[in-house]
């Protein structure tokens, strides 16, 4: 936080002279059962190396690719969600280059006919709403993974694991519309939320399912032409995206101020040191010799197929936030907190569906529920499945609204249910948490408290109303918090008034 703050603070002077021009490229692993062009399973996380492989994803001669329909649908769904356009027909292209993690010597990708183009994504920032243009989203295959290890005798060797080779990968490229490090972070956050909401990816940055790269350049204020562009990689969290770009803006400004010429480098982000470093210099933009993939036919996008995918899209995060505010009366903050967590959305919807007033439902979900979700490892338990949990919680909220259980006890009951799955009614009964709203039951306790506190009674009679509060507190204590506080006050006043008059 302090590092971002410092960089952003210094940035004010820099931003008077230079305008940052930032574009973001995201590689996103798609959620499919099998790989992009073969039937190998994509469940290779934690599996022994080279156990999810076949002739196709090993790039053996003569093996032929077959298109994964689900992966194509995921990119089309993303395109629809970002209001992009689709070509009537698309094509696969070979991107040729050599690297040990690419067994065929080329990657099957899309060059001039991406599955989606000219989209946009809008989101909130600390300075107001912002919209980023999205140039394209296309489909390609992932590479294998290189693992560099040091052997017992001190040699460094590189091992290759082909489990990831050929996994479906979506690349999403923005226009160079972004002007601040914060906008870049917010774009990546909102994109993750969108990809999760439409179910195309788990988009976990730490697990490499969402890989963010930034192209950063500066130009003097008012200039039209772009400055020298630097590519920043290895940002493994949203916070590093913001910090790395803020650092890069400062670094480039200092270099330009000193009259240096910037070079078109690829730089990595060192999160511990808080700096970017040169990974490699780009002599020229590489020539990948793209040409149409001869082993795959062009792909025609049937309008009926697109309509079907559109019909399957759920409510998108931005629309949901707007609806929660406009139709259900939630604050912008509550709507954002709910929409950021899919399980919170489901539980909230279940409660509202069960007739709980939205604001009350939102308070429980954004408060107690999210607190317990972070605290307990029971989060995958069957009883926490949102519709099931919603039924139990709705019952508890109704009891509290009807004054049959106190707020403190209700929280305790919910926590016990969250942890053990025991039914709400059973927990209330076992802990004796039925709120005492019966006057006859209270009167005995009130009399005991009055007898035990003669000086407070005298104070009330002498016209000191705060003494009533003390007596109410004593009754609540004697009933272990189960008494209806308003009713206790009433009974006390009647008793004391009666005796005085
Ligand atoms: Zn395979």
């Amino acid at each position: 936080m302090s590092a971002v703050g410092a960089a952003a603070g210094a940035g004010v002077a820099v931003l008077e002279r230079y305008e940052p021009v930032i574009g973001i490229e995201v590689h996103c692993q798609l959620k499919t059962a099998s790989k992009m062009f073969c039937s190998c399973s994509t469940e290779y996380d934690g599996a022994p190396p080279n156990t999810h492989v076949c002739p196709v994803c090993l790039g053996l001669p003569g093996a032929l690719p077959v298109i994964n329909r689900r992966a194509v649908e995921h990119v089309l769904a993303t395109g629809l969600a970002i209001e992009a356009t689709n070509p009537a027909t698309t094509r696969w292209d070979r991107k040729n280059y050599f690297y040990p993690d690419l067994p065929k010597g080329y990657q099957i990708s899309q060059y001039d006919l991406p599955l989606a183009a000219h989209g946009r994504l809008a989101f909130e920032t600390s300075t107001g709403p912002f919209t980023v243009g999205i140039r394209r989203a296309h489909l390609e295959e992932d590479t294998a993974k290189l693992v560099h290890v040091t052997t017992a005798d001190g040699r460094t060797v590189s091992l290759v694991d082909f489990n990831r080779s050929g996994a479906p990968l979506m690349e999403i490229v923005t226009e160079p519309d972004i002007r601040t490090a914060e906008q870049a972070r917010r774009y990546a956050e909102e994109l993750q939320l969108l990809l999760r909401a439409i179910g195309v990816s788990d988009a976990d940055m730490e697990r490499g399912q969402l890989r963010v790269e930034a192209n950063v350049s500066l130009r003097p204020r008012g200039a039209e032409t772009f400055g020298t562009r630097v590519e920043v990689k290895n940002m493994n969290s949203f916070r590093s995206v913001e910090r790395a770009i803020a650092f890069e803006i400062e670094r480039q400004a200092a270099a330009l101020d000193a009259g240096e010429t910037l070079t078109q480098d690829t730089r990595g982000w060192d999160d511990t040191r808080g700096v970017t470093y040169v990974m490699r210099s780009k002599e020229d933009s590489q020539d990948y010799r793209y040409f149409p993939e001869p082993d795959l036919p062009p792909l025609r996008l049937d309008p009926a197929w697109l309509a079907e995918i559109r019909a399957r899209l759920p409510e998108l995060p931005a629309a949901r936030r707007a609806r929660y505010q406009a139709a259900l009366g939630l604050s912008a903050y509550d709507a954002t907190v709910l929409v950021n967590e899919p399980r919170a959305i489901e539980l909230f919807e279940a409660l509202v569906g069960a007739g709980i007033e939205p604001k009350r439902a939102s308070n429980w979900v954004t408060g107690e529920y999210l607190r317990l979700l972070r605290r307990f490892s029971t989060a995958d338990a069957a009883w926490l499945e949102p519709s099931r949990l919603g039924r139990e919680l709705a019952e508890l909220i109704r009891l509290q609204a009807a004054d049959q259980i106190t707020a403190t006890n209700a929280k305790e009951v919910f926590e016990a249910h969250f942890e053990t799955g025991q039914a709400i009614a059973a927990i209330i009964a076992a802990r004796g948490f039925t709120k005492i709203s019966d006057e006859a039951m209270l009167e005995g306790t009130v009399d005991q408290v009055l007898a035990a506190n003669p000086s407070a009674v005298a104070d009330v009679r002498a016209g000191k109303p705060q003494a009533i509060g003390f007596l109410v507190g004593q009754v609540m204590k004697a009933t272990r918090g189960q008494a209806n506080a308003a009713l206790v006050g009433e009974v006390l006043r009647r008793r004391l008034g009666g005796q005085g008059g």
Side-chain angles (χ1 to χ4, degrees), residues 35 38-40 52-58 165:
K35 291 187 184 179
C38 62
S39 57
C40 289
H52 288 53
V53 293
C54 73
V56 173
C57 56
L58 285 173
S165 175

Side-chain angles (χ1 to χ4, degrees), residues 125-413:
T125 71
S126 63
T127 51
F130 190 76
T131 301
V132 174
I134 296 179
R135 183 177 294 169
R136 57 186 284 155
H138 73 251
L139 189 51
E140 59 189 32
E141 53 180 340
D142 211 343
T143 59
K145 199 170 183 173
L146 292 179
V147 185
H148 309 285
V149 294
T150 308
T151 59
D153 56 351
R155 288 175 304 130
T156 302
V157 296
S158 296
L159 306 173
V160 59
D161 175 6
F162 288 98
N163 283 351
R164 195 180 70 183
S165 175
L169 205 58
M170 172 166 59
E171 184 177 324
I172 305 172
V173 183
T174 73
E175 297 292 347
D177 289 348
I178 298 171
R179 295 290 173 268
T180 71
E182 189 210 349
Q183 288 168 356
R185 169 179 59 83
R186 287 291 303 117
Y187 165 73
E189 286 172 342
E190 186 69 15
L191 184 66
Q192 181 195 55
L193 195 60
L194 184 78
L195 297 172
R196 287 179 171 174
I198 63 177
V200 303
S201 175
D202 290 330
D204 189 332
M205 280 186 93
E206 280 171 9
R207 290 170 63 198
Q209 295 165 335
L210 190 78
R211 305 167 213 157
V212 179
E213 292 165 28
N215 288 306
V216 183
S217 66
L218 297 189
R219 61 184 172 193
R221 286 265 161 213
E224 285 288 320
T225 49
F226 292 136
T228 304
R229 192 176 80 170
V230 168
E231 195 178 323
V232 187
K233 288 175 180 279
N234 293 355
M235 300 172 288
N236 296 322
S237 67
F238 294 122
R239 187 168 174 264
S240 0
V241 169
E242 184 163 358
R243 289 179 69 207
I245 293 172
F247 174 87
E248 198 47 37
I249 291 170
E250 291 292 320
R251 186 191 70 82
Q252 291 184 21
L256 292 173
D257 281 347
E260 291 168 25
T261 309
L262 288 165
T263 49
Q264 198 184 330
D265 299 330
T266 296
R267 299 178 74 94
W269 168 246
D270 183 328
D271 204 48
T272 314
R273 287 162 59 222
V275 297
T276 62
Y277 59 91
V278 178
M279 291 171 83
R280 57 177 176 269
S281 288
K282 278 194 175 171
E283 315 75 48
D284 281 302
S285 66
Q286 272 172 288
D287 185 353
Y288 292 114
R289 303 267 167 169
Y290 281 97
F291 65 84
E293 167 61 57
D295 289 340
L296 288 170
L299 190 68
R300 198 174 63 85
L301 302 179
D302 183 351
W305 187 28
L306 280 168
E308 216 175 274
I309 296 167
R310 187 189 293 278
R312 284 204 302 262
L313 279 183
E315 186 176 31
L316 302 179
R320 193 184 287 275
R321 283 192 297 258
R323 177 169 67 85
Y324 282 178
Q325 291 174 68
L328 301 181
L330 299 190
S331 69
Y333 178 80
D334 284 350
T336 302
V337 172
L338 283 176
V339 173
N340 278 349
E341 171 57 59
R343 282 174 295 190
I345 293 176
E346 283 187 66
L347 180 59
F348 174 73
E349 295 279 346
L351 290 172
V352 173
I356 302 296
E357 191 264 319
K359 180 65 192 165
R360 201 184 276 270
S362 159
N363 286 346
W364 270 93
V365 177
T366 59
E368 286 304 292
Y369 173 70
L370 288 180
R371 182 180 73 80
L372 295 170
L373 203 58
R374 280 188 291 269
R375 187 166 144 203
F376 290 111
S377 51
T378 47
D380 291 327
W383 63 85
L384 296 179
E385 189 272 311
S387 65
R388 191 165 153 185
L389 182 62
R391 277 195 298 277
E392 291 283 323
L393 182 54
E395 181 188 334
L396 184 62
I397 295 175
R398 272 200 206 93
L399 288 174
Q400 196 199 332
D403 245 354
Q404 287 173 26
I405 185 167
T406 66
T408 314
N409 287 348
K411 283 181 185 170
E412 194 179 320
V413 169

Side-chain angles (χ1 to χ4, degrees), residues 444-462 464 466-478 488 492 496 499:
T445 313
V446 166
D447 288 343
Q448 285 168 22
V449 167
L450 291 178
N453 295 283
S455 63
V457 172
D459 283 349
V460 175
R461 295 221 166 104
K464 292 180 185 166
Q466 65 272 29
I468 282 273
F470 170 78
L471 291 169
V472 170
Q474 293 303 302
V475 176
M476 294 305 288
K477 208 166 145 187
V488 171
L492 271 169
L496 292 170
Q499 280 175 22

